[in-house]
Each structure stands twice: as C-alpha cells, then as structure tokens.
Amino acid sequence: MRVRTALCSAVSVLSALTLLSACSSGSGTGSGGAPLVGVDYPRSDTDFWNSYIKYTPQYGKQLGMDLKTTNSQNDVAKLTANAQTFISQGVKGIVMAPQDTAAIAPTLAQLEAKKIPVVTVDTRPDTGKVYMVVRADNRAYGEKACQYLGTKLGGKGKVVMLEGDLSSINGRDRTEAFNDCMKKNYPDIKVFGEATNWDGAVAAQKLQTDLTANPDIKGVYMEASFALSGTLQVLKQKGLLAGPKDKKHVFVVSNDGIPEELQSIAEGKIDATVSQPADLYAKYALYYVKAAIDGKTFKPGKTDHDSAIIQVRDGVLEDQLSAPLVTADGATYGGVPSVKSDDKALWGNNLG
C-alpha cells in the first residue's frame, strides 16, 4: 500500500486522477456494476484461437461481465506485462492461456498475493496457484490419434508426428500419449517425431524431408491445425493428396476441429481430427472466473455439462471438457468412438 500511495503522489495532478483508481483497489466493476474481468488471448495466428477470441465477448455478455482484453502473442513476457495492466485496471479476475506453462509461475504468484483469481484455459501451469483449469484431456488427443492411425494402417508402417511446442503441457501430453499408445498397441509402426514449435512452416518443411527420405510413410499426426495447410500442400506436391480409397492416400489426423478441418474430412483430404471445444473453452473459462469472484468452490466429480473436474495437484482443479474424435463415417477405431464431421453439434459447423 505504501508503494502504491507513493507512486500516486509522484505523478502530476492530471495523471494522478487517472492512476488513482489503478493504485487503489478499485471497485472492480464496469458498466452497470458488472464485474471487471481481464482476458488475455494467447495468440491470433491460428484459426482455433481466432475462434476462441470470437466466442469470448459473446459469453462475457451472457454472463454479465465487463471484459478488458489483451493479446500476449505467444510471448510470456507480454503476458506478464498484460497481467500488470489488468492489475492497474482493477480487475477482479483474470483468464489466460499461458503457452509456456513453466515460465508463468512468477506472475501467478503475484496475482495470488493480490487475491486476484486466475482461470487458465487450454493449458495447465506446471506450478502455481489457479482457481480452475479449463481444458480437455490432451493425453486423450494423442491416444485417439494413435488408435485411429493404428487401425487404418493395420498396425504396420510409418507415420510422422508433427509435435507442438514441448515447453507447453499440451505439446508434451499429446506427444507422450501418442508415443506411449503406439509402443503399447502398435509396436510395428515406426514414428518419426518432429518438433515444430506450433509453426506451420517448420512443420511443412520437416514433413517434406521425411517424405523424401521415406516415401512409404502412410500416416501423419498433426498436433494442431497450425499444420493443416502446409501438410496438404506437401502431400499435393508429392502426388499423395489422393482420396481415402486410393492406394497413394496418406492418412492424416489433426487436433482442433476448425471448420477447415471438417471440410477437409468431408472432401477426403484428411481423415480425422479431435474437436477441441473453442466455444466451451470461452464459456467455462468465464463461468469459473465469475464463480471465483462470487466466492464459490468446486470439488472433483462430474459436472452438469458432460465433463469431469479432476484434481491435478494440490489446490488445482481441472475441468476436462469433452473433445470427440471426428471422422467422415462416425465409426469406432481401436475402441475409440467418433462423430461424423457433418454433425451440427460440433462448434466447427456452427461458427458464423
């Protein structure tokens, strides 16, 4: 309190009028008495996150919140700075999606000290206190991709895994689960793991190199839709962008469930994806931050929205939302049921 008072006293009278509310605890309310909530968008260079950005203000309005938004552009330093901005604006809670799940710890500690609850969406911090993690089971993403490709390849052959950033728990979970599943269930399938840092250009270059050295590769697992356009371009250049019944067809599984993936499945260009719920991420991230502001608490167990809350470590709960495997036929692969790509319940088919 002394530091903030000194800061407010040091500025000019005009500036002081602006900074005083920031330096004080502030009302934390916006127009009409709505709670003031900060939402940091992690990036805007992928269709998935742009969809999340579109949904967020819609649910904020439904839940009666006044939102302050920033974009950290996949940079933890910017996320840290954006958190300071939110503090100065007097927000009562913050939603963020840290892409570097280790480096965010000091910021979380600062927010905890200021009693500002944090909900993380899509990613779970490696350490640090958060009120709730809103996420799907990312290990299940890798397992579902593995079971689909393993079934389609008859348990034999070669596949390329275009990994996400392994500094992110999502990249680690999907990569480790895919590898573990392959070793356990399909030991005769050789996996070429390629680090991409969620970069589509890097993914395309590495896929091209792998296909040149191993023209008999028959499967590709893209850990997110960032690699979609590049993968399709490389397959087309190699003469491998053939229909599912063609012997040249390379089976491709993605993660996200964006409209372009669903369309590509319908056209036979790729074969499956896991629909990561961009709409529900936005809805329940804001739902939980409002609950935190209202002083509500939760326990592990089933929810009323087809998910389950689990305890991932001391004091940290995670609401694992549903993320189904999506295919053209809606069949079951390796014990994993799928839904058809034209299912109107999928958010990717309802994005206006």
Side-chain angles (χ1 to χ4, degrees):
M1 182 62 71
R2 291 178 181 175
V3 173
R4 292 195 297 191
T5 302
L7 175 60
C8 291
S9 299
V11 295
S12 65
V13 174
L14 180 61
S15 297
L17 293 174
T18 302
L19 282 173
L20 198 53
S21 62
C23 295
S24 65
S25 59
S27 64
T29 57
S31 58
L36 191 63
V37 172
V39 179
D40 182 78
Y41 301 134
R43 56 201 304 164
S44 55
D45 58 348
T46 71
D47 292 329
F48 176 81
W49 283 115
N50 282 331
S51 299
Y52 169 79
I53 289 170
K54 182 175 181 179
Y55 282 118
T56 297
Q58 297 176 18
Y59 286 115
K61 184 177 181 180
Q62 286 184 22
L63 291 167
M65 297 178 175
D66 192 353
L67 303 184
K68 297 291 186 179
T69 62
T70 56
N71 192 318
S72 53
Q73 300 173 353
N74 200 28
D75 185 332
V76 71
K78 289 182 180 179
L79 176 53
T80 297
N82 292 344
Q84 306 309 311
T85 298
F86 289 146
I87 292 171
S88 73
Q89 291 171 333
V91 300
K92 290 297 186 180
I94 294 176
V95 174
M96 63 172 68
Q99 302 296 281
D100 188 326
T101 52
I104 194 60
T107 298
L108 294 178
Q110 181 187 21
L111 293 171
E112 181 184 9
K114 292 183 176 295
K115 302 187 184 306
I116 299 175
V118 175
V119 172
T120 64
V121 59
D122 181 55
T123 63
R124 182 177 70 237
D126 296 352
T127 59
K129 174 72 173 180
V130 295
Y131 177 81
M132 182 70 73
V133 178
V134 176
R135 188 171 176 252
D137 182 351
N138 275 245
R139 285 194 62 87
Y141 292 11
E143 291 166 0
K144 291 174 181 180
C146 161
Q147 294 290 1
Y148 182 86
L149 288 175
T151 301
K152 283 296 187 180
L153 271 61
K156 297 181 180 180
K158 300 176 181 178
V159 301
V160 176
M161 173 170 52
L162 300 174
E163 303 167 354
D165 188 346
L166 298 186
S167 70
S168 162
I169 192 171
N170 290 352
R172 296 196 300 272
D173 276 359
R174 297 175 200 185
T175 297
E176 291 169 4
F178 186 83
N179 282 331
D180 290 347
C181 172
M182 280 294 182
K183 290 176 182 177
K184 178 181 178 180
N185 300 292
Y186 308 104
D188 292 330
I189 292 181
K190 180 175 178 57
V191 178
F192 297 92
E194 300 291 0
T196 70
N197 195 34
W198 306 117
D199 188 313
V202 172
Q205 183 271 320
K206 291 191 173 183
L207 177 60
Q208 186 170 40
T209 299
D210 283 334
L211 284 170
T212 299
N214 301 274
D216 56 342
I217 284 172
K218 297 301 291 182
V220 178
Y221 171 36
M222 309 181 300
E223 291 191 4
S225 57
F226 73 94
L228 178 62
S229 62
T231 294
L232 294 179
Q233 184 178 9
V234 169
L235 292 177
K236 184 176 181 180
Q237 290 173 348
K238 295 287 186 180
L240 299 174
L241 194 60
K245 295 182 179 180
D246 193 306
K247 291 182 178 180
K248 294 186 295 182
H249 183 75
V250 175
F251 292 95
V252 179
V253 183
S254 186
N255 289 164
D256 275 345
I258 63 172
E260 289 80 1
E261 286 176 316
L262 302 183
Q263 183 63 33
S264 292
I265 292 173
E267 295 172 352
K269 293 179 179 178
I270 71 171
D271 302 273
T273 189
V274 176
S275 180
Q276 184 169 220
D279 55 341
L280 299 185
Y281 279 2
K283 178 178 181 178
Y284 287 104
L286 293 173
Y287 166 83
Y288 283 116
V289 81
K290 187 174 188 296
I293 294 169
D294 293 341
K296 297 180 180 179
T297 58
F298 295 88
K299 296 180 179 180
K302 293 186 179 297
T303 71
D304 61 358
H305 48 271
D306 191 30
S307 69
I309 295 175
I310 65 170
Q311 183 166 323
V312 292
R313 50 185 166 82
D314 289 346
V316 176
L317 299 176
E318 178 172 306
D319 188 353
Q320 294 193 330
L321 302 178
S322 177
L325 177 68
V326 180
T327 63
D329 57 12
T332 296
Y333 294 91
V336 178
S338 68
V339 301
K340 290 186 177 181
S341 58
D342 61 357
D343 191 323
K344 297 303 181 184
L346 296 171
W347 70 266
N349 287 323
N350 292 298
L351 192 62

